[in-house]
Amino acid sequence: MMPAMRRHPGRGGRRVAASGAAAGLVLLAACGDGRPLASEPVPSPEVEPGVLVCQGVEVPREVLTGGRSGEDLGEEGQAALAGEEVPPVDDLASWTVAEESGARLTLLRELPEPEDLGAGDVRTHEVLAVARPGGAEGEGWVLASSATCALRVPLPGGLEPASLTRDPARPLDPGSDVVALLATELACASGQDAQGRVQVVDVVQGVQAVDVVLGVEPLEGGADCPSNPPTPVQVRLDAPLGDREVRDAGTEPARTLAPEPAGP
């Protein structure tokens, strides 16, 4: 039997909250078909609300709307771009300065078109980070990161992000209070699924959308990095879904979920 859930209003809707002794835990109960049911979120994230993460690189939210153009780099930034293994930056005007200091340079830009890598991994931005070994007192500059990413909300308690899609084996049912999703762990997991390690960080149930944030407890020890298979997860709502969208609110902005294509 699933534990009872306490509910309270959230921003733009109703948020499912952890209750009683279950606070801080996610209890996974088997449904009739053996799929896990994520029934209790962990407490609200205790993270810096003004920061997003792009492939492990922190990006202040404020730079998305008010950041300096890459054309305005100072001497430190220009020196960083000439650092070891730093790829050529062909159009500084298309980049925004997320950080420029004597120890680090971080540039961010939005991709002309989203890059859909499948399994819900839809990348919207590109990040370039260059660091000075040893900090501001070190010598020279070296490439720290150059990658595409989805801007993600930091997760609490050491949880790692997962990309989300709807489960094609269990289509959305307007009359049901259960939403079936597939969560694909983004961290290295030696090609195994995240069964038993998926946690619901937040579920906000609005009038037009249900916003879900999931995280994954990382594996202990080292892991190889082949592609990870998706893990079926079912999130229980406090009312039937109706005609509301289901969105991944672990990304910024929240992304409406499409079903993962069914296999042949």
Side-chain angles (χ1 to χ4, degrees), residues 18-258:
S19 62
L25 299 175
V26 172
L27 306 181
L28 300 182
C31 290
D33 60 2
R35 294 168 181 257
L37 177 64
S39 59
E40 295 284 358
V42 298
S44 296
E46 296 179 359
V47 295
E48 173 55 53
V51 172
L52 298 170
V53 179
C54 178
Q55 290 287 55
V57 178
E58 291 189 353
V59 176
R61 283 180 181 268
E62 63 188 23
V63 307
L64 300 182
T65 55
R68 290 187 294 124
S69 167
E71 290 184 309
D72 298 329
L73 282 177
E75 291 184 5
E76 294 284 12
Q78 294 288 350
L81 291 181
E84 185 177 347
E85 297 184 349
V86 177
V89 178
D90 54 358
D91 184 9
L92 276 173
S94 68
W95 294 85
T96 297
V97 180
E99 179 182 358
E100 183 184 12
S101 69
R104 189 174 181 88
L105 171 69
T106 302
L107 300 178
L108 182 78
R109 67 176 172 183
E110 188 173 0
L111 296 174
E113 296 290 338
E115 181 181 20
D116 190 346
L117 301 185
D121 187 0
V122 180
R123 303 187 177 190
T124 56
H125 287 75
E126 182 178 5
V127 67
L128 175 67
V130 188
R132 192 192 294 272
E137 303 304 319
E139 296 291 333
W141 294 88
V142 298
L143 178 67
S145 179
S146 178
T148 57
C149 69
L151 293 176
R152 294 188 175 275
V153 177
L155 300 177
L159 294 177
E160 296 286 352
S163 60
L164 303 181
T165 60
R166 288 161 27 199
D167 188 343
R170 297 180 63 91
L172 296 181
D173 179 356
S176 175
D177 63 355
V178 173
V179 173
L181 304 176
L182 295 177
T184 301
E185 185 174 7
L186 296 180
C188 299
S190 297
Q192 59 184 296
D193 65 26
Q195 184 73 34
R197 297 186 290 116
V198 179
Q199 293 195 5
V200 179
V201 175
D202 211 4
V203 180
V204 178
Q205 303 176 58
V207 175
Q208 297 182 331
V210 172
D211 288 345
V212 179
V213 181
L214 298 184
V216 180
E217 294 179 356
L219 289 173
E220 295 184 2
D224 296 327
C225 293
S227 298
N228 301 322
T231 302
V233 176
Q234 297 181 36
V235 179
R236 185 175 295 281
L237 309 178
D238 62 4
L241 178 63
D243 60 0
R244 292 177 291 179
E245 296 181 338
V246 179
R247 303 191 301 187
D248 179 2
T251 65
E252 179 71 28
R255 181 177 60 84
T256 299
L257 296 181

